[in-house]
Amino acid sequence: MHKDYSFKTNKTGYLLVAPAMIGILLIAIYPMAYGIYFGFFKYDLMNESRNFIFMDNYARILTSAKFTNALGNTVVWTFFNVVFQIIFALLIAIVLNEKLRFRNFFRTGIMVPWAIPSVIAVLTFKFLYDAKVGIVNVIFQSLGIIDQPISWVGNIGTAMPALIIESIWKGMPFVLIFILAALQTIPLDVYEGSHLDGASGWQRFIYITFPMIKETVGIAAILTTIGTINNFNTIWLMTEGGPLGRTEILYTLAYRYGFTEFNFGTSSAVSVIIFIIIMALTKIYIRFSETKEA
């Protein structure tokens, strides 16, 4: 059946959505288009100069050591965040899906990290990691793991793992919601039948649980990947991309170019690259969603 989307036929509908569309245009579309426009210019705010250089910003960025380092760090940062958030969320969701005493209390408590504002969470972990008064050093020294206090976010070998731990703690409950909701959709009679057939807990997980929630896990993984790439607060508030660029990711690199070096052309070009990556992941997310609905 042919659908008529003409303004004349759907005048009321178009007028009702017009305010929202205007808001999206001003808040999202216009800044994005302006950022893409800036990517074709050498725009130095300090010298108040703007010269059209077409793709030179992209050519210079893609061949620079800073970009290569930030891209590699972004991959490491994202990979370990996503993998461990999925693993921990899956394990905890399976436990919380069982009939336990105070189950609702534990379900509520596990969501606390997600509810805490990101800035407060980051500053709390920064205090815990502090070389002088941080509780992490106190515990590790009392256990004999280390001999002297370590600057966890200031050491090139421990900075990235320390940030990843904070990010996993903060973001894992979001993944947990998805997986726990998916587990509750599995019919109990499926488990009862497998129990009668003598299936072990591991076999039930491999052949029943995971196949029935894998689409949800996939969607959660994609959303977590997008959120991790955009997780600016954790890195900038803890290390500002240091030490020696060991925690610099694409997002902090774009910020550094724009608001530290005041080179908005280069910053916009890096932002466009991030935008392309996010769009590709969003396309995969839409495909997964459509597959799950089907």
Side-chain angles (χ1 to χ4, degrees):
M1 183 178 178
H2 177 70
K3 295 183 179 180
D4 185 5
Y5 295 106
S6 65
F7 179 78
K8 183 178 180 180
T9 306
N10 304 278
K11 184 186 298 182
T12 303
Y14 281 115
L15 291 176
L16 288 173
V17 301
M21 294 303 297
I22 293 172
I24 293 172
L25 180 65
L26 295 176
I27 297 173
I29 305 300
Y30 174 72
M32 181 181 68
Y34 205 50
I36 295 173
Y37 167 79
F38 266 133
F40 297 113
F41 287 82
K42 183 179 180 181
Y43 182 30
D44 190 340
L45 185 63
M46 298 300 291
N47 298 325
E48 297 183 356
S49 61
R50 184 189 301 183
N51 301 312
F52 180 74
I53 56 175
F54 192 45
M55 300 296 290
D56 285 4
N57 279 330
Y58 295 96
R60 186 173 64 256
I61 289 169
L62 294 173
T63 57
S64 70
K66 285 184 178 180
F67 177 82
T68 303
N69 174 66
L71 181 61
N73 289 337
T74 302
V75 172
V76 172
W77 164 252
T78 305
F79 174 80
F80 284 102
N81 261 288
V82 173
V83 169
F84 283 105
Q85 285 188 39
I86 294 293
I87 292 174
F88 290 143
L90 189 58
L91 293 174
I92 295 173
I94 291 173
V95 173
L96 294 181
N97 195 47
E98 299 294 327
K99 294 181 180 180
L100 304 172
R101 291 188 63 186
F102 309 112
R103 182 173 65 173
N104 291 334
F105 171 78
F106 290 121
R107 285 181 176 180
T108 303
I110 202 68
M111 299 308 299
V112 170
W114 190 46
I116 295 175
S118 61
V119 174
I120 294 177
V122 170
L123 294 179
T124 300
F125 267 81
K126 190 173 183 179
F127 175 77
L128 295 176
Y129 288 141
D130 188 83
K132 296 180 179 179
V133 296
I135 192 67
V136 174
N137 278 312
V138 173
I139 294 174
F140 282 7
Q141 282 185 287
S142 64
L143 295 175
I145 298 175
I146 58 176
D147 297 326
Q148 57 185 4
I150 296 174
S151 177
W152 296 97
V153 296
N155 188 296
I156 59 175
T158 59
M160 181 62 83
L163 299 184
I164 290 173
I165 289 172
E166 188 279 337
S167 185
I168 292 171
W169 177 83
K170 182 74 174 67
M172 184 272 296
F174 174 76
V175 184
L176 177 64
I177 293 175
F178 278 82
I179 297 177
L180 188 58
L183 288 174
Q184 293 176 354
T185 64
I186 302 176
L188 292 177
D189 55 359
V190 177
Y191 286 117
E192 292 172 357
S194 65
H195 181 71
L196 293 174
D197 291 336
S200 64
W202 176 250
Q203 288 174 326
R204 288 197 296 270
F205 174 77
I206 292 297
Y207 296 108
I208 298 175
T209 303
F210 189 75
M212 298 187 75
I213 66 171
K214 63 181 180 181
E215 288 86 2
T216 301
V217 172
I219 292 173
I222 295 168
L223 292 176
T224 304
T225 300
I226 295 173
T228 303
I229 292 174
N230 288 326
N231 190 353
F232 172 81
N233 287 342
T234 296
I235 292 180
W236 192 258
L237 291 176
M238 276 200 185
T239 65
E240 296 186 4
L244 301 176
R246 289 302 178 96
T247 60
E248 187 89 277
I249 63 173
L250 292 177
Y251 213 120
T252 58
L253 180 66
Y255 183 87
R256 187 181 308 283
Y257 277 132
F259 297 98
T260 302
E261 301 178 11
F262 301 105
N263 190 337
F264 287 101
T266 307
S267 176
S268 297
V270 176
S271 299
V272 170
I273 294 171
I274 297 172
F275 173 73
I276 293 171
I277 295 172
I278 298 298
M279 285 296 293
L281 293 171
T282 303
K283 181 66 175 178
I284 297 173
Y285 165 71
I286 293 172
R287 286 288 182 87
F288 260 93
S289 300
E290 291 174 346
T291 303
K292 190 174 187 301
E293 290 176 0

